[in-house]
Amino acid sequence: MAEAPERTSAWIRRFQPSPAAASQLVCFPHAGGSAVYFLPVARAMAPSVDVLAVQYPGRQDRRAEPCVEDVHELADRTAAELLAWADRPLCLFGHSLGATLAYEVALRLEREGVDLVGLIASGRRAPSRHRDERIHELDDKGLIEDLKRLSGTDARMLADPEILEMILPYVRGDYKAAETYRPRTSGETRVSCPVVVMTGDADPHVTNEEAHAWSAHGSGPFDLHEFSGGHFFINDHAPAVIQLISEFIESRIPTANRA
């Protein structure tokens, strides 16, 4: 069982506090995910990088709070929390829904004058590449089948009626947020920090073209990394993914510190 994280606010978890680290990595979970998903990342990157994980409302210790079913509202509230952490360079990393949210938060933080190390988007098509998906409108059985298809949820959880009763409301809320998201057309729609994209070559939700389209959402350097596997390729390639993130941050910190 994972040890209790340092709870800095309702929104932020620090599993391996590293206050002396030169940089911070902010991790945004996938739909149906929670902050604890990034515990292995925090352990692997400490003490060189201080890893912060975002805890969305509606799950675990925040289960009494209503889910936020709109990406823009979620981004507004998360960005407001993260402004207090901008005393050291921030790099944003999100998977699936988390990638979209990280992008929207990056726009807001840069608007407030925060100079980001970078945006790392994993397992999600570019904001400009919309698909008409309505999985959140399916009944519970249909929603469970999609979770099984993506192989990102422990099968034992999906077989436990009590756990399903607890998790399905926020899973559905997250799916709704992801599927109803549209980027805003007014104001700045490109981040100025470097953009790194990771994708699985067999991900049913992201084609290579949809992944590469992230290049249009940044005005700085862009890099695309393709891994073997489906939507949760990051589980199968965790050491390589963590190494890629670590090397990226290490390469950018001198620049970030001079800014």
Side-chain angles (χ1 to χ4, degrees), residues 140-150:
D140 288 352
K141 182 180 179 181
L143 193 58
I144 293 168
E145 286 303 313
D146 191 72
L147 292 174
K148 291 179 178 178
R149 181 172 66 94
L150 296 179

Side-chain angles (χ1 to χ4, degrees), residues 7 20 25 28 36 40 47 52 80 91 150 161 191:
R7 176 177 173 147
L25 176 69
F28 297 79
V36 75
L52 312 177
C91 182
L150 296 179
V191 296

